[in-house]
Amino acid sequence: MNAGGGLDVLGVDLGPGVSAGFSNRSGGSSLGPHTSLNLGYHVGDDWDRAYANRQVLGGWLRAPITMTTQVHGADVAHVDRYRPNMKRKADALLSTTPGVGIGVMVADCVPVLLADARAGVVATAHAGRGGLVGGVVPNVVAAMVAHGARVPSIRAAIGPSICGRCYEVPEQLRTEVETAVPGTAGETSWGTPSIDIAAGVLSQLKAAGVQRISRVDDCTYEDERYFSYRRDGVTGRFAGVVALIGPAPSHA
Ligand SMILES: [Zn+2]
């Protein structure tokens, strides 16, 4: 773990003119269980440190980052300018404005970044169990299309999350989620029922027609470079962030 050390963002390629990546605990100034690049205002950290950490990550992204209050829902919010303290509750964000960064905070849930570089549309989605079953992934793809994206041109990146060998749930819940999103039922490494949220996100992206999908296989519960709510309880949040950084594309 490099917490307290330098920033160590994993960049992902979502096309020309798009900046995107996933942070971890490294970099920033938060202390204790929030060491050190905590981005959440709602997790008991010092507000000024979390704010400063967002600025650090925005510097990497080359755009200030707007994030919302995430409620495990499926709503998509359009962000057309930087809002340092957006109150709106939404689990997916969309932007068509160069220089306006958007981000999704997580600590075990699945962060998803999407872009149609040619159309100039970027988006994020926060997919935990609730968002997965509620349809946040197909909703954000549909919102991108409504803003000019073409599904075959969309690239998506699935970020670090708790894996299907670690996310233990009661048997009945496994059955409910499997019924809603087939392919998610699993078993933990210690032999109890589990669900694989990232596998569900992947199948929903494919079902929506998205073909160019990359995936970071790191498990937040097993890998201490990441914040993990299930492992640590009181902890911080890392993020997936994306922005259009080139000039506004033409829509010819
Ligand atoms: Zn795991």
Side-chain angles (χ1 to χ4, degrees):
M1 190 167 84
N2 188 32
L7 191 66
D8 181 27
V9 182
L10 176 63
V12 292
D13 182 8
L14 295 180
V18 178
S19 177
F22 297 102
S23 68
N24 54 33
R25 298 180 72 146
S26 299
S29 59
S30 295
L31 304 171
H34 307 104
T35 301
S36 52
L37 194 74
N38 167 53
L39 303 163
Y41 292 145
H42 61 296
V43 292
D45 190 13
D46 178 76
W47 195 94
D48 290 332
R49 290 184 193 271
Y51 179 83
N53 292 343
R54 290 188 181 195
Q55 307 309 307
V56 169
L57 188 56
W60 179 90
L61 186 65
R62 286 177 277 167
I65 302 161
T66 295
M67 294 191 266
T68 40
T69 301
Q70 300 168 175
V71 292
H72 296 280
D75 287 348
V76 184
H78 188 178
V79 179
D80 55 6
R81 61 188 167 83
Y82 171 51
R83 292 176 163 184
N85 197 13
M86 192 171 176
K87 300 288 190 200
R88 167 114 185 240
K89 296 182 171 104
D91 288 82
L93 301 180
L94 179 148
S95 181
T96 56
T97 310
V100 174
I102 50 178
V104 47
M105 281 180 283
V106 287
D108 289 336
C109 289
V110 180
V112 187
L113 303 176
L114 306 105
D116 179 341
R118 188 177 303 176
V121 183
V122 296
T124 65
H126 166 246
R129 179 169 50 81
L132 180 79
V133 172
V136 71
V137 172
N139 279 4
V140 76
V141 173
M144 291 178 75
V145 170
H147 285 82
R150 291 177 59 254
V151 171
S153 303
I154 293 175
R155 293 193 206 180
I158 299 172
S161 67
I162 189 168
C163 82
R165 297 179 309 280
C166 294
Y167 190 9
E168 181 178 64
V169 294
E171 172 81 52
Q172 185 185 342
L173 191 53
R174 177 172 71 173
T175 303
E176 284 175 21
V177 177
E178 173 68 20
T179 302
V181 187
T184 54
E187 192 175 282
T188 62
S189 58
W190 53 96
T192 57
S194 77
I195 50 178
D196 187 337
I197 301 289
V201 168
L202 185 63
S203 73
Q204 286 185 330
L205 284 170
K206 287 179 176 173
V210 179
Q211 293 153 13
R212 304 169 78 181
I213 306 166
S214 65
R215 180 171 171 182
V216 182
D217 283 327
D218 298 343
C219 170
T220 50
Y221 187 83
E222 296 174 73
D223 189 333
E224 294 199 348
R225 288 178 302 164
Y226 299 100
F227 296 113
S228 169
Y229 178 76
R230 278 240 170 173
R231 183 187 64 222
D232 297 329
V234 177
T235 191
R237 297 291 182 274
F238 68 96
V241 291
V242 62
L244 296 166
I245 54 168
S250 70
H251 289 273

